[in-house]
Amino acid sequence: MTTTTTVPDLPDLVPSSRGFSAGDYPVKKFQAQNGAEVRMNYGNKRYGMTLSLGYANIPDADARRFLEHYDEKTEGTFKTFAIGPNARDGWTEDNKWLGAHEWGCQWRYAGPPQLTSVYPGRSSVQIQLYAALNNA
Amino acid sequence: MTFYSGQNGRMELYEPTTATGPALSVAFVNNGQQLTETGAQTGIATTVQTGDSGSGLTVDFEVDEGECEQLTINTPGSGYSDDQVVDVTGFADVTVRIFRREARRLAKVASWQIQTNAATLDTTTLGDTDSTSAYGLRESSGSARIFYYDQGGSNDCAVLMKKLLKVRNNLGDPEFAGVADEPELVRLKLDVMHGTTAKCFEFVALITSASMVMGVGEVLAADIQFKVQGAFEKLTVLN
């Protein structure tokens, strides 16, 4: 089952750390017994990008926005959504290279946000996103 | 304009008094749960537990979200001993510990020093060119130098060192070679005397280090280091 409901973007805070993995095309490898290898590309869209965003020592009110987004807006890992421009702040090249939309993918949570309380009123949040191809 | 020097400094240690008397300070042992009362409670009577003595202590406190807080003495009463626990009348399961500990000036303190540091939490984000921070945990610690002396069985240097150093239990039994009493918390007061009144740092502390060096041409002294437990209880030195 897929959804067409418009989901609000990820809370648009500037992260303090970011990791990106570029995914791959739907390539299947066939290997002969002698070791020779043939690869077939079954599509023209790259998918499976992952984006990890860390928000260190942010106010609890901002941390709550991620929990709220995960619970009430995306229903956990169910619905897809877009990320705001601030998620790529500090990257000086074209945003598409740290994105998924260009290849027909949309972000969804790969797992629940991880929250660590560090001080009264302050927490650190780590989120992991996964880009899936639209079912279109 | 008044300046202060070493002549204005002194150090005090809170110690339990052996005699019974009025409550000098109090703290909750149990502060209740799901109490129906709300707001300020004034002059609430207390009841001594079976086998204990003392009478007349009344306390003030507030009930917030079903729990008691902000405890102070209203009437100190009489006949109480240090570390005695009393029930708060009319408040189920609320109990209060009475302290009879008085500050006593430690003799032969050559110097004391105290410092407070605040940790910082890095709030720098991607795209920033300069780091930003928020306040994190505060931590206070200090040290004191106390001369070792003998005077009629009194020796404040030893009094303070005994809070950290403990003789092993079950002497002669090798099985218990590694067992001794735990170090004690101390309540200290570092004073800056202004005439007859003291402007002070007052706090509970852990003695974290005690060292002595005996040397030719030097008076034996102990260097004590301590770490403040939690926040200061009084900071009249800043008034």
Side-chain angles (χ1 to χ4, degrees), chain B residues 39-75:
Chain B
Q41 310 292 320
T42 309
I44 306 299
T46 59
T47 312
V48 294
Q49 296 184 340
T50 307
D52 289 341
S53 61
S55 62
L57 170 67
T58 63
V59 290
D60 299 342
F61 54 88
E62 285 186 21
V63 181
D64 185 27
E65 296 184 351
E67 295 185 357
C68 301
E69 54 187 39
Q70 306 285 337
L71 179 67
T72 56
I73 294 172
N74 182 306
T75 311

PDB file of all heavy atoms in Angstrom, chain B residues 39-75:
ATOM      1  N   GLY B  39      -0.159  23.823  47.457  1.00  0.00           N
ATOM      2  CA  GLY B  39       0.325  25.127  47.881  1.00  0.00           C
ATOM      3  C   GLY B  39       1.129  25.104  49.164  1.00  0.00           C
ATOM      4  O   GLY B  39       1.576  24.056  49.634  1.00  0.00           O
ATOM      5  N   ALA B  40       1.308  26.296  49.729  1.00  0.00           N
ATOM      6  CA  ALA B  40       2.163  26.476  50.902  1.00  0.00           C
ATOM      7  C   ALA B  40       1.519  25.881  52.154  1.00  0.00           C
ATOM      8  O   ALA B  40       0.322  26.080  52.408  1.00  0.00           O
ATOM      9  CB  ALA B  40       2.432  27.959  51.107  1.00  0.00           C
ATOM     10  N   GLN B  41       2.323  25.151  52.904  1.00  0.00           N
ATOM     11  CA  GLN B  41       1.880  24.574  54.174  1.00  0.00           C
ATOM     12  C   GLN B  41       2.762  25.195  55.261  1.00  0.00           C
ATOM     13  O   GLN B  41       3.983  25.093  55.197  1.00  0.00           O
ATOM     14  CB  GLN B  41       2.064  23.053  54.165  1.00  0.00           C
ATOM     15  CG  GLN B  41       1.491  22.356  52.945  1.00  0.00           C
ATOM     16  CD  GLN B  41      -0.025  22.396  52.891  1.00  0.00           C
ATOM     17  OE1 GLN B  41      -0.687  22.239  53.918  1.00  0.00           O
ATOM     18  NE2 GLN B  41      -0.575  22.632  51.706  1.00  0.00           N
ATOM     19  N   THR B  42       2.149  25.826  56.244  1.00  0.00           N
ATOM     20  CA  THR B  42       2.906  26.580  57.247  1.00  0.00           C
ATOM     21  C   THR B  42       2.661  26.037  58.649  1.00  0.00           C
ATOM     22  O   THR B  42       1.524  25.735  59.008  1.00  0.00           O
ATOM     23  CB  THR B  42       2.489  28.072  57.215  1.00  0.00           C
ATOM     24  OG1 THR B  42       2.573  28.524  55.861  1.00  0.00           O
ATOM     25  CG2 THR B  42       3.386  28.929  58.079  1.00  0.00           C
ATOM     26  N   GLY B  43       3.779  25.920  59.398  1.00  0.00           N
ATOM     27  CA  GLY B  43       3.666  25.515  60.803  1.00  0.00           C
ATOM     28  C   GLY B  43       3.110  24.116  60.988  1.00  0.00           C
ATOM     29  O   GLY B  43       2.375  23.859  61.943  1.00  0.00           O
ATOM     30  N   ILE B  44       3.484  23.201  60.121  1.00  0.00           N
ATOM     31  CA  ILE B  44       2.979  21.835  60.218  1.00  0.00           C
ATOM     32  C   ILE B  44       3.745  21.085  61.312  1.00  0.00           C
ATOM     33  O   ILE B  44       4.983  21.079  61.323  1.00  0.00           O
ATOM     34  CB  ILE B  44       3.134  21.094  58.871  1.00  0.00           C
ATOM     35  CG1 ILE B  44       2.475  21.905  57.741  1.00  0.00           C
ATOM     36  CG2 ILE B  44       2.559  19.688  58.964  1.00  0.00           C
ATOM     37  CD1 ILE B  44       0.987  22.129  57.919  1.00  0.00           C
ATOM     38  N   ALA B  45       3.022  20.453  62.208  1.00  0.00           N
ATOM     39  CA  ALA B  45       3.635  19.751  63.344  1.00  0.00           C
ATOM     40  C   ALA B  45       4.313  18.464  62.885  1.00  0.00           C
ATOM     41  O   ALA B  45       4.006  17.926  61.813  1.00  0.00           O
ATOM     42  CB  ALA B  45       2.566  19.440  64.377  1.00  0.00           C
ATOM     43  N   THR B  46       5.245  17.987  63.707  1.00  0.00           N
ATOM     44  CA  THR B  46       5.909  16.710  63.429  1.00  0.00           C
ATOM     45  C   THR B  46       5.742  15.791  64.635  1.00  0.00           C
ATOM     46  O   THR B  46       5.513  16.258  65.755  1.00  0.00           O
ATOM     47  CB  THR B  46       7.408  16.915  63.152  1.00  0.00           C
ATOM     48  OG1 THR B  46       8.003  17.533  64.298  1.00  0.00           O
ATOM     49  CG2 THR B  46       7.639  17.777  61.930  1.00  0.00           C
ATOM     50  N   THR B  47       5.885  14.498  64.394  1.00  0.00           N
ATOM     51  CA  THR B  47       5.729  13.495  65.456  1.00  0.00           C
ATOM     52  C   THR B  47       6.982  12.645  65.514  1.00  0.00           C
ATOM     53  O   THR B  47       7.432  12.141  64.467  1.00  0.00           O
ATOM     54  CB  THR B  47       4.526  12.578  65.137  1.00  0.00           C
ATOM     55  OG1 THR B  47       3.406  13.393  64.780  1.00  0.00           O
ATOM     56  CG2 THR B  47       4.175  11.714  66.331  1.00  0.00           C
ATOM     57  N   VAL B  48       7.540  12.490  66.704  1.00  0.00           N
ATOM     58  CA  VAL B  48       8.754  11.667  66.822  1.00  0.00           C
ATOM     59  C   VAL B  48       8.385  10.199  66.659  1.00  0.00           C
ATOM     60  O   VAL B  48       7.258   9.781  66.972  1.00  0.00           O
ATOM     61  CB  VAL B  48       9.479  11.882  68.171  1.00  0.00           C
ATOM     62  CG1 VAL B  48      10.010  13.282  68.262  1.00  0.00           C
ATOM     63  CG2 VAL B  48       8.566  11.565  69.334  1.00  0.00           C
ATOM     64  N   GLN B  49       9.327   9.425  66.154  1.00  0.00           N
ATOM     65  CA  GLN B  49       9.081   8.005  65.967  1.00  0.00           C
ATOM     66  C   GLN B  49       9.326   7.252  67.270  1.00  0.00           C
ATOM     67  O   GLN B  49       9.999   7.765  68.186  1.00  0.00           O
ATOM     68  CB  GLN B  49       9.970   7.482  64.827  1.00  0.00           C
ATOM     69  CG  GLN B  49       9.609   8.148  63.492  1.00  0.00           C
ATOM     70  CD  GLN B  49      10.394   7.603  62.319  1.00  0.00           C
ATOM     71  OE1 GLN B  49      11.447   7.007  62.483  1.00  0.00           O
ATOM     72  NE2 GLN B  49       9.874   7.848  61.117  1.00  0.00           N
ATOM     73  N   THR B  50       8.802   6.060  67.373  1.00  0.00           N
ATOM     74  CA  THR B  50       8.864   5.265  68.604  1.00  0.00           C
ATOM     75  C   THR B  50      10.310   5.111  69.084  1.00  0.00           C
ATOM     76  O   THR B  50      11.189   4.733  68.310  1.00  0.00           O
ATOM     77  CB  THR B  50       8.266   3.867  68.359  1.00  0.00           C
ATOM     78  OG1 THR B  50       6.968   4.035  67.791  1.00  0.00           O
ATOM     79  CG2 THR B  50       8.163   3.076  69.654  1.00  0.00           C
ATOM     80  N   GLY B  51      10.522   5.419  70.347  1.00  0.00           N
ATOM     81  CA  GLY B  51      11.850   5.277  70.942  1.00  0.00           C
ATOM     82  C   GLY B  51      12.699   6.524  70.851  1.00  0.00           C
ATOM     83  O   GLY B  51      13.751   6.611  71.494  1.00  0.00           O
ATOM     84  N   ASP B  52      12.269   7.521  70.059  1.00  0.00           N
ATOM     85  CA  ASP B  52      13.041   8.764  69.928  1.00  0.00           C
ATOM     86  C   ASP B  52      12.504   9.825  70.873  1.00  0.00           C
ATOM     87  O   ASP B  52      11.396   9.710  71.403  1.00  0.00           O
ATOM     88  CB  ASP B  52      12.972   9.284  68.481  1.00  0.00           C
ATOM     89  CG  ASP B  52      13.773   8.422  67.530  1.00  0.00           C
ATOM     90  OD1 ASP B  52      14.645   7.675  68.007  1.00  0.00           O
ATOM     91  OD2 ASP B  52      13.521   8.487  66.315  1.00  0.00           O
ATOM     92  N   SER B  53      13.291  10.875  71.041  1.00  0.00           N
ATOM     93  CA  SER B  53      12.854  11.974  71.900  1.00  0.00           C
ATOM     94  C   SER B  53      12.807  13.260  71.084  1.00  0.00           C
ATOM     95  O   SER B  53      13.209  13.299  69.929  1.00  0.00           O
ATOM     96  CB  SER B  53      13.827  12.130  73.081  1.00  0.00           C
ATOM     97  OG  SER B  53      15.117  12.430  72.583  1.00  0.00           O
ATOM     98  N   GLY B  54      12.326  14.313  71.747  1.00  0.00           N
ATOM     99  CA  GLY B  54      12.246  15.611  71.086  1.00  0.00           C
ATOM    100  C   GLY B  54      10.801  16.020  70.889  1.00  0.00           C
ATOM    101  O   GLY B  54       9.899  15.176  70.802  1.00  0.00           O
ATOM    102  N   SER B  55      10.576  17.341  70.843  1.00  0.00           N
ATOM    103  CA  SER B  55       9.201  17.833  70.634  1.00  0.00           C
ATOM    104  C   SER B  55       9.247  19.260  70.127  1.00  0.00           C
ATOM    105  O   SER B  55      10.241  19.960  70.275  1.00  0.00           O
ATOM    106  CB  SER B  55       8.408  17.776  71.943  1.00  0.00           C
ATOM    107  OG  SER B  55       9.011  18.627  72.900  1.00  0.00           O
ATOM    108  N   GLY B  56       8.159  19.658  69.525  1.00  0.00           N
ATOM    109  CA  GLY B  56       7.973  21.065  69.183  1.00  0.00           C
ATOM    110  C   GLY B  56       8.407  21.491  67.793  1.00  0.00           C
ATOM    111  O   GLY B  56       8.191  22.647  67.404  1.00  0.00           O
ATOM    112  N   LEU B  57       8.995  20.594  67.012  1.00  0.00           N
ATOM    113  CA  LEU B  57       9.440  21.005  65.669  1.00  0.00           C
ATOM    114  C   LEU B  57       8.233  21.156  64.748  1.00  0.00           C
ATOM    115  O   LEU B  57       7.418  20.252  64.607  1.00  0.00           O
ATOM    116  CB  LEU B  57      10.392  19.948  65.075  1.00  0.00           C
ATOM    117  CG  LEU B  57      10.737  20.145  63.588  1.00  0.00           C
ATOM    118  CD1 LEU B  57      11.570  21.408  63.384  1.00  0.00           C
ATOM    119  CD2 LEU B  57      11.489  18.932  63.042  1.00  0.00           C
ATOM    120  N   THR B  58       8.129  22.343  64.144  1.00  0.00           N
ATOM    121  CA  THR B  58       7.139  22.533  63.077  1.00  0.00           C
ATOM    122  C   THR B  58       7.879  23.000  61.834  1.00  0.00           C
ATOM    123  O   THR B  58       8.935  23.638  61.919  1.00  0.00           O
ATOM    124  CB  THR B  58       6.057  23.565  63.460  1.00  0.00           C
ATOM    125  OG1 THR B  58       6.691  24.842  63.654  1.00  0.00           O
ATOM    126  CG2 THR B  58       5.332  23.157  64.731  1.00  0.00           C
ATOM    127  N   VAL B  59       7.318  22.646  60.697  1.00  0.00           N
ATOM    128  CA  VAL B  59       8.017  22.928  59.435  1.00  0.00           C
ATOM    129  C   VAL B  59       7.085  23.609  58.444  1.00  0.00           C
ATOM    130  O   VAL B  59       5.859  23.515  58.543  1.00  0.00           O
ATOM    131  CB  VAL B  59       8.566  21.625  58.809  1.00  0.00           C
ATOM    132  CG1 VAL B  59       9.718  21.068  59.621  1.00  0.00           C
ATOM    133  CG2 VAL B  59       7.470  20.579  58.633  1.00  0.00           C
ATOM    134  N   ASP B  60       7.702  24.296  57.487  1.00  0.00           N
ATOM    135  CA  ASP B  60       6.976  24.903  56.369  1.00  0.00           C
ATOM    136  C   ASP B  60       7.441  24.218  55.091  1.00  0.00           C
ATOM    137  O   ASP B  60       8.629  23.886  54.955  1.00  0.00           O
ATOM    138  CB  ASP B  60       7.303  26.398  56.249  1.00  0.00           C
ATOM    139  CG  ASP B  60       6.910  27.181  57.498  1.00  0.00           C
ATOM    140  OD1 ASP B  60       6.102  26.657  58.290  1.00  0.00           O
ATOM    141  OD2 ASP B  60       7.426  28.301  57.659  1.00  0.00           O
ATOM    142  N   PHE B  61       6.529  24.011  54.174  1.00  0.00           N
ATOM    143  CA  PHE B  61       6.900  23.466  52.862  1.00  0.00           C
ATOM    144  C   PHE B  61       5.785  23.738  51.869  1.00  0.00           C
ATOM    145  O   PHE B  61       4.730  24.277  52.229  1.00  0.00           O
ATOM    146  CB  PHE B  61       7.206  21.961  52.951  1.00  0.00           C
ATOM    147  CG  PHE B  61       6.116  21.120  53.565  1.00  0.00           C
ATOM    148  CD1 PHE B  61       5.103  20.589  52.796  1.00  0.00           C
ATOM    149  CD2 PHE B  61       6.105  20.879  54.938  1.00  0.00           C
ATOM    150  CE1 PHE B  61       4.105  19.817  53.364  1.00  0.00           C
ATOM    151  CE2 PHE B  61       5.105  20.100  55.511  1.00  0.00           C
ATOM    152  CZ  PHE B  61       4.095  19.567  54.717  1.00  0.00           C
ATOM    153  N   GLU B  62       6.026  23.379  50.643  1.00  0.00           N
ATOM    154  CA  GLU B  62       5.009  23.530  49.602  1.00  0.00           C
ATOM    155  C   GLU B  62       4.680  22.172  49.019  1.00  0.00           C
ATOM    156  O   GLU B  62       5.546  21.300  48.947  1.00  0.00           O
ATOM    157  CB  GLU B  62       5.529  24.435  48.475  1.00  0.00           C
ATOM    158  CG  GLU B  62       5.560  25.894  48.859  1.00  0.00           C
ATOM    159  CD  GLU B  62       5.925  26.792  47.690  1.00  0.00           C
ATOM    160  OE1 GLU B  62       5.762  26.356  46.537  1.00  0.00           O
ATOM    161  OE2 GLU B  62       6.377  27.910  47.960  1.00  0.00           O
ATOM    162  N   VAL B  63       3.442  22.003  48.639  1.00  0.00           N
ATOM    163  CA  VAL B  63       3.049  20.771  47.941  1.00  0.00           C
ATOM    164  C   VAL B  63       2.788  21.136  46.489  1.00  0.00           C
ATOM    165  O   VAL B  63       1.961  22.002  46.183  1.00  0.00           O
ATOM    166  CB  VAL B  63       1.791  20.136  48.565  1.00  0.00           C
ATOM    167  CG1 VAL B  63       1.445  18.845  47.831  1.00  0.00           C
ATOM    168  CG2 VAL B  63       2.012  19.867  50.044  1.00  0.00           C
ATOM    169  N   ASP B  64       3.552  20.516  45.609  1.00  0.00           N
ATOM    170  CA  ASP B  64       3.421  20.796  44.180  1.00  0.00           C
ATOM    171  C   ASP B  64       3.303  19.464  43.439  1.00  0.00           C
ATOM    172  O   ASP B  64       4.160  18.591  43.594  1.00  0.00           O
ATOM    173  CB  ASP B  64       4.647  21.585  43.697  1.00  0.00           C
ATOM    174  CG  ASP B  64       4.515  22.003  42.249  1.00  0.00           C
ATOM    175  OD1 ASP B  64       3.369  22.162  41.781  1.00  0.00           O
ATOM    176  OD2 ASP B  64       5.548  22.155  41.571  1.00  0.00           O
ATOM    177  N   GLU B  65       2.265  19.335  42.673  1.00  0.00           N
ATOM    178  CA  GLU B  65       2.007  18.112  41.911  1.00  0.00           C
ATOM    179  C   GLU B  65       2.086  16.870  42.799  1.00  0.00           C
ATOM    180  O   GLU B  65       2.687  15.847  42.451  1.00  0.00           O
ATOM    181  CB  GLU B  65       2.965  17.991  40.727  1.00  0.00           C
ATOM    182  CG  GLU B  65       2.769  19.110  39.718  1.00  0.00           C
ATOM    183  CD  GLU B  65       3.648  18.958  38.488  1.00  0.00           C
ATOM    184  OE1 GLU B  65       4.520  18.087  38.492  1.00  0.00           O
ATOM    185  OE2 GLU B  65       3.427  19.726  37.547  1.00  0.00           O
ATOM    186  N   GLY B  66       1.498  16.996  43.993  1.00  0.00           N
ATOM    187  CA  GLY B  66       1.384  15.836  44.883  1.00  0.00           C
ATOM    188  C   GLY B  66       2.614  15.523  45.698  1.00  0.00           C
ATOM    189  O   GLY B  66       2.626  14.554  46.450  1.00  0.00           O
ATOM    190  N   GLU B  67       3.677  16.331  45.557  1.00  0.00           N
ATOM    191  CA  GLU B  67       4.905  16.066  46.312  1.00  0.00           C
ATOM    192  C   GLU B  67       5.330  17.302  47.099  1.00  0.00           C
ATOM    193  O   GLU B  67       5.105  18.431  46.656  1.00  0.00           O
ATOM    194  CB  GLU B  67       6.042  15.653  45.367  1.00  0.00           C
ATOM    195  CG  GLU B  67       5.772  14.327  44.670  1.00  0.00           C
ATOM    196  CD  GLU B  67       6.942  13.866  43.832  1.00  0.00           C
ATOM    197  OE1 GLU B  67       7.946  14.613  43.761  1.00  0.00           O
ATOM    198  OE2 GLU B  67       6.850  12.774  43.256  1.00  0.00           O
ATOM    199  N   CYS B  68       5.967  17.061  48.244  1.00  0.00           N
ATOM    200  CA  CYS B  68       6.415  18.170  49.095  1.00  0.00           C
ATOM    201  C   CYS B  68       7.786  18.667  48.637  1.00  0.00           C
ATOM    202  O   CYS B  68       8.634  17.867  48.216  1.00  0.00           O
ATOM    203  CB  CYS B  68       6.532  17.710  50.538  1.00  0.00           C
ATOM    204  SG  CYS B  68       5.003  17.087  51.222  1.00  0.00           S
ATOM    205  N   GLU B  69       8.017  19.973  48.757  1.00  0.00           N
ATOM    206  CA  GLU B  69       9.315  20.553  48.416  1.00  0.00           C
ATOM    207  C   GLU B  69       9.511  21.840  49.200  1.00  0.00           C
ATOM    208  O   GLU B  69       8.620  22.285  49.920  1.00  0.00           O
ATOM    209  CB  GLU B  69       9.402  20.824  46.902  1.00  0.00           C
ATOM    210  CG  GLU B  69       8.278  21.666  46.362  1.00  0.00           C
ATOM    211  CD  GLU B  69       8.295  21.773  44.848  1.00  0.00           C
ATOM    212  OE1 GLU B  69       8.598  20.778  44.176  1.00  0.00           O
ATOM    213  OE2 GLU B  69       7.979  22.858  44.343  1.00  0.00           O
ATOM    214  N   GLN B  70      10.661  22.449  49.074  1.00  0.00           N
ATOM    215  CA  GLN B  70      10.992  23.734  49.715  1.00  0.00           C
ATOM    216  C   GLN B  70      10.813  23.680  51.237  1.00  0.00           C
ATOM    217  O   GLN B  70      10.124  24.503  51.836  1.00  0.00           O
ATOM    218  CB  GLN B  70      10.121  24.871  49.149  1.00  0.00           C
ATOM    219  CG  GLN B  70      10.154  25.019  47.650  1.00  0.00           C
ATOM    220  CD  GLN B  70      11.439  25.658  47.156  1.00  0.00           C
ATOM    221  OE1 GLN B  70      12.116  26.352  47.894  1.00  0.00           O
ATOM    222  NE2 GLN B  70      11.791  25.389  45.924  1.00  0.00           N
ATOM    223  N   LEU B  71      11.460  22.705  51.867  1.00  0.00           N
ATOM    224  CA  LEU B  71      11.291  22.487  53.304  1.00  0.00           C
ATOM    225  C   LEU B  71      12.138  23.460  54.119  1.00  0.00           C
ATOM    226  O   LEU B  71      13.329  23.635  53.850  1.00  0.00           O
ATOM    227  CB  LEU B  71      11.710  21.046  53.640  1.00  0.00           C
ATOM    228  CG  LEU B  71      11.630  20.625  55.096  1.00  0.00           C
ATOM    229  CD1 LEU B  71      10.189  20.576  55.574  1.00  0.00           C
ATOM    230  CD2 LEU B  71      12.308  19.275  55.277  1.00  0.00           C
ATOM    231  N   THR B  72      11.522  24.096  55.095  1.00  0.00           N
ATOM    232  CA  THR B  72      12.256  24.952  56.039  1.00  0.00           C
ATOM    233  C   THR B  72      11.700  24.749  57.446  1.00  0.00           C
ATOM    234  O   THR B  72      10.577  24.272  57.610  1.00  0.00           O
ATOM    235  CB  THR B  72      12.149  26.456  55.680  1.00  0.00           C
ATOM    236  OG1 THR B  72      10.764  26.806  55.618  1.00  0.00           O
ATOM    237  CG2 THR B  72      12.809  26.767  54.352  1.00  0.00           C
ATOM    238  N   ILE B  73      12.513  25.143  58.428  1.00  0.00           N
ATOM    239  CA  ILE B  73      12.072  25.046  59.827  1.00  0.00           C
ATOM    240  C   ILE B  73      11.211  26.257  60.157  1.00  0.00           C
ATOM    241  O   ILE B  73      11.581  27.390  59.852  1.00  0.00           O
ATOM    242  CB  ILE B  73      13.299  25.000  60.762  1.00  0.00           C
ATOM    243  CG1 ILE B  73      14.079  23.700  60.532  1.00  0.00           C
ATOM    244  CG2 ILE B  73      12.876  25.113  62.220  1.00  0.00           C
ATOM    245  CD1 ILE B  73      15.404  23.659  61.277  1.00  0.00           C
ATOM    246  N   ASN B  74      10.069  26.004  60.798  1.00  0.00           N
ATOM    247  CA  ASN B  74       9.234  27.090  61.307  1.00  0.00           C
ATOM    248  C   ASN B  74       9.569  27.317  62.776  1.00  0.00           C
ATOM    249  O   ASN B  74       9.959  28.405  63.176  1.00  0.00           O
ATOM    250  CB  ASN B  74       7.757  26.735  61.114  1.00  0.00           C
ATOM    251  CG  ASN B  74       6.820  27.841  61.572  1.00  0.00           C
ATOM    252  OD1 ASN B  74       6.899  28.292  62.708  1.00  0.00           O
ATOM    253  ND2 ASN B  74       5.946  28.284  60.680  1.00  0.00           N
ATOM    254  N   THR B  75       9.433  26.268  63.584  1.00  0.00           N
ATOM    255  CA  THR B  75       9.826  26.307  65.000  1.00  0.00           C
ATOM    256  C   THR B  75      10.786  25.148  65.249  1.00  0.00           C
ATOM    257  O   THR B  75      10.432  24.001  64.949  1.00  0.00           O
ATOM    258  CB  THR B  75       8.592  26.142  65.907  1.00  0.00           C
ATOM    259  OG1 THR B  75       7.582  27.042  65.469  1.00  0.00           O
ATOM    260  CG2 THR B  75       8.940  26.410  67.357  1.00  0.00           C
TER     261      THR B  75
END
